[in-house]
Amino acid sequence: MESTKTAPVKTVMFQKVLIANRGEIAVRIIRACKEMGIKTVAVFSEIDRKALHLRFADEAYLIGPAPSAQSYLDMKKIIEVAKKSGAEAIHPGYGFLAENAAFVKMVESEGLAFIGPPSSAVELLGDKVEARKTMKNAGVSIVPGTEVEIASEDQAISIAEKIGFPILIKAVGGGGGKGMRIVKEKSQMKEALRGAQSEAKSAFADPRIYIEKYLEKPRHVEIQILADKYGNVIHLGERECSIQRRHQKVVEESPSPIVDAKMRKAMGEQAVTAAKAAGYVSAGTMEFLVDQDRNFYFLESNTRLQVEHPVTEMVTGIDIAKEQIKIASGMKLECKQENIKWKGSAIECRIYAEDPDNNFFPSVGVVHSYLEPSGPGVRVDSGLSEGLEISLYYDPLIAKLLTWGNDRNEAIQRMKRALSEYRISGIATTIPFHIGVMNNKRFKEGRIHTHFIEEEMEKGQLIVGRDSDDILEAVAVFSALLDFQEKKRTKTPSSKTKSKESPWKIEGRRMGLRRFR
Ligand code: ADP
């Protein structure tokens, strides 16, 4: 007979959590709480009255008008609502207040729990120069560059000459790719310093900048970690995030096509060392740049739940949002490093309210009709529903489409199928662009780096299309047509019956093809 003995039950779990966010991530966290039997409190701005996260939460409170400074960034108001509603903890999601050390301190001093790292770690890792110093001292290999802030043009030039051009000027308080400038030669330094400092000042109220070696065509590979309050730190492997536009991630996947078990172990160990050096607690990410020889260098930490966390969940089976809540409530990590197993391959496409036919211009309007893909291996994390208004007030990321496959090829095939099923009308989205990425030969072969999108667009190798099958079929028909015409031409060189219309146009019309690019 089997033993009926069970481990002692923990009784410290939160009863009620406030989610200080909106959109897909608020929905994601509410789902985790529900599965754990935790009551949820949503907050919303005036423009978000119809938002999905309000419908799923147990309680919802209006916190102000649409501009985020008066609603989702209003720290006092959010804490007031937490206290009024009886929430014991606040989950910040990502963006807004998630990496704001002052907010974390305020939450801590009000006797509430912050579902994220302690303010000391947020402060340390939010300062990129301090983070670099800490990592270097701990023996983590960092991107070559400075561990000091730049005070003058002369100093910048002498550092740049030492590490070698090209260099990258970056903001100490950086984020979102802001305050970055590439400098290829000495004469560009003055202008670049001025531009980076003023951008950093307006984006982060902090004009401080520093210098890193600019790595040519690196990959961005990051490691997910989990750290509890008792010094236990594990890693959940890597995410490949090299498909970027303007230094912002667009497609992510796990595993990375270039990471094998040996490299995963080495990167994972560095990430765990980095987390321990920073006194990190909670779910977090250590980002690395990988050069063409597969050398990897610590780039920065993200002290929050990442947008792309679901790809790791799909290959490890670990619910990172739930782990984060358990850790914040004081529970010990249950999973051990040796028990973490990776199965199959997962891809995420970030769906932005942007028009890929119009240089990714933000798209606003009301979602008229909405149909999500489903079927085997498909996950949609979205805050969308019919009648919802997409405005310019908030981040254009409106949904995340994920697929899982036994291998990378199956995950890509499923993604193509899921993208073709996804219907969002009323606004333009990046769905057609993702179809182009999934059909791209280089992407399929995993030969990618952070300049993949610009290079492939320049070469005309990213075909933006509504439906991948239509496009593939049209391409096949068109090449068959060219072949046929070529044969005809060589057989009857004096033919006078040549059509005036281009075969592109004829075939395009016949296939109902939107356009090629
Ligand atoms: P942010 O915090 O502003 O997002 P990151 O340091 O995370 O900035 O870098 C974002 C992206 O910018 C990276 O994924 C990479 O594409 C590019 N990048 C950053 N630093 C370097 C570097 N030293 N060399 C080459 N590319 C870089």
Side-chain angles (χ1 to χ4, degrees), residues 365-414:
V366 174
V367 177
H368 289 314
S369 61
Y370 182 68
L371 179 68
E372 282 181 359
S374 59
V378 175
R379 168 174 168 176
V380 183
D381 278 20
S382 126
L384 289 174
S385 61
E386 280 169 19
L388 190 82
E389 187 182 343
I390 305 298
S391 74
L392 282 177
Y393 284 107
Y394 310 117
D395 196 279
L397 178 69
I398 50 172
K400 302 179 317 203
L401 174 59
L402 295 114
T403 54
W404 178 91
N406 283 297
D407 56 26
R408 188 169 185 267
N409 185 43
E410 189 177 42
I412 293 174
Q413 289 302 120
R414 275 196 172 141

Side-chain angles (χ1 to χ4, degrees), residues 18-68:
L18 180 144
I19 296 100
N21 216 302
R22 63 182 299 283
E24 71 84 16
I25 195 64
V27 172
R28 164 75 188 97
I29 296 157
I30 292 170
R31 284 180 170 145
C33 290
K34 281 197 166 170
E35 289 176 21
M36 298 171 86
I38 300 170
K39 292 257 180 284
T40 53
V41 179
V43 291
F44 63 100
S45 72
E46 277 162 11
I47 205 173
D48 274 342
R49 285 178 193 278
K50 287 188 186 165
L52 199 59
H53 72 286
L54 314 192
R55 289 193 233 160
F56 289 173
D58 295 297
E59 292 167 50
Y61 294 82
L62 177 68
I63 50 166
S68 32

Side-chain angles (χ1 to χ4, degrees), residues 36 129 318 344 384 439-440 475:
M36 298 171 86
V129 166
I318 292 174
L384 289 174
N439 280 323
N440 178 277
V475 169

Side-chain angles (χ1 to χ4, degrees), residues 260-273:
D260 56 15
K262 190 171 159 221
M263 187 169 171
R264 182 170 303 121
K265 186 166 183 284
M267 290 187 85
E269 281 168 6
Q270 288 261 298
V272 167
T273 303

Side-chain angles (χ1 to χ4, degrees), residues 128 143-144 168 170 174-178 180 204 210 212-216 218 220 241 244 247-249 287 289 299-300 302 450-451:
K128 292 194 176 187
V143 177
L168 191 61
K170 295 177 85 169
K178 294 206 178 77
M180 279 198 225
F204 318 112
Y210 70 105
E212 271 178 16
K213 171 88 188 144
Y214 181 68
L215 300 183
E216 304 275 359
H220 175 124
C241 308
Q244 302 183 350
H247 303 307
Q248 292 299 296
K249 300 161 190 168
E287 297 187 331
L289 288 183
L299 181 64
E300 65 155 357
N302 286 139
T450 55
H451 301 282

Side-chain angles (χ1 to χ4, degrees), residues 154-442:
D154 286 348
Q155 182 199 11
I157 289 173
S158 100
I159 289 167
E161 280 173 343
K162 211 150 81 198
I163 59 176
F165 286 101
I167 58 101
L168 191 61
I169 301 175
K170 295 177 85 169
V172 174
K178 294 206 178 77
M180 279 198 225
R181 291 287 185 285
I182 301 166
V183 183
K184 292 190 175 139
E185 54 189 67
K186 202 169 145 178
S187 65
Q188 299 173 336
M189 190 64 88
K190 194 172 182 176
E191 188 55 35
L193 281 175
R194 200 182 306 134
Q197 273 166 334
S198 86
E199 199 171 300
K201 194 173 171 198
S202 65
F204 318 112
D206 179 358
R208 293 177 301 150
I209 44 135
Y210 70 105
I211 285 178
E212 271 178 16
K213 171 88 188 144
Y214 181 68
L215 300 183
E216 304 275 359
K217 304 185 177 179
R219 282 176 181 254
H220 175 124
V221 180
E222 59 188 30
I223 302 282
Q224 175 71 52
I225 60 118
L226 291 176
D228 69 13
K229 294 183 175 175
Y230 313 97
N232 303 303
V233 188
I234 60 167
H235 74 87
L236 303 183
E238 81 284 2
R239 290 186 287 259
E240 165 80 62
C241 308
S242 300
I243 307 293
Q244 302 183 350
R245 260 193 84 244
R246 298 187 184 141
H247 303 307
Q248 292 299 296
K249 300 161 190 168
V250 178
V251 175
E252 301 97 337
E253 58 182 305
S254 186
S256 160
I258 52 146
V259 175
D260 56 15
K262 190 171 159 221
M263 187 169 171
R264 182 170 303 121
K265 186 166 183 284
M267 290 187 85
E269 281 168 6
Q270 288 261 298
V272 167
T273 303
K276 285 185 174 165
Y280 199 83
V281 172
S282 187
T285 299
M286 300 299 162
E287 297 187 331
F288 294 86
L289 288 183
V290 181
D291 70 16
Q292 282 153 24
D293 300 319
R294 293 166 84 229
N295 299 308
F296 55 88
Y297 306 94
F298 170 84
L299 181 64
E300 65 155 357
S301 311
N302 286 139
T303 57
R304 55 175 154 84
L305 195 61
Q306 295 274 94
V307 172
E308 59 273 24
H309 76 276
V311 289
T312 304
E313 295 185 328
M314 289 177 105
V315 292
T316 60
I318 292 174
D319 187 315
I320 298 170
K322 283 189 198 164
E323 289 301 320
Q324 206 186 11
I325 296 168
K326 285 195 231 164
I327 291 169
S329 78
M331 289 175 77
K332 257 190 189 169
L333 273 181
E334 281 164 322
C335 33
K336 303 245 176 305
Q337 188 65 58
E338 59 271 23
N339 297 332
I340 306 298
K341 299 276 180 280
W342 293 272
K343 186 166 184 273
S345 179
I347 301 179
E348 171 179 280
C349 288
R350 293 188 185 200
I351 314 294
Y352 288 103
E354 290 173 345
D355 187 357
D357 279 341
N358 186 16
N359 199 25
F360 295 90
F361 202 72
S363 175
V364 293
V366 174
V367 177
H368 289 314
S369 61
Y370 182 68
L371 179 68
E372 282 181 359
S374 59
V378 175
R379 168 174 168 176
V380 183
D381 278 20
S382 126
L384 289 174
S385 61
E386 280 169 19
L388 190 82
E389 187 182 343
I390 305 298
S391 74
L392 282 177
Y393 284 107
Y394 310 117
D395 196 279
L397 178 69
I398 50 172
K400 302 179 317 203
L401 174 59
L402 295 114
T403 54
W404 178 91
N406 283 297
D407 56 26
R408 188 169 185 267
N409 185 43
E410 189 177 42
I412 293 174
Q413 289 302 120
R414 275 196 172 141
M415 183 58 84
K416 287 200 311 202
R417 190 263 295 166
L419 285 164
S420 75
E421 286 176 11
Y422 211 164
R423 294 283 182 269
I424 305 173
S425 76
I427 50 161
T429 74
T430 49
I431 290 172
F433 172 77
H434 287 299
I435 292 172
V437 175
M438 294 302 129
N439 280 323
N440 178 277
K441 186 167 178 284
R442 231 177 96 188

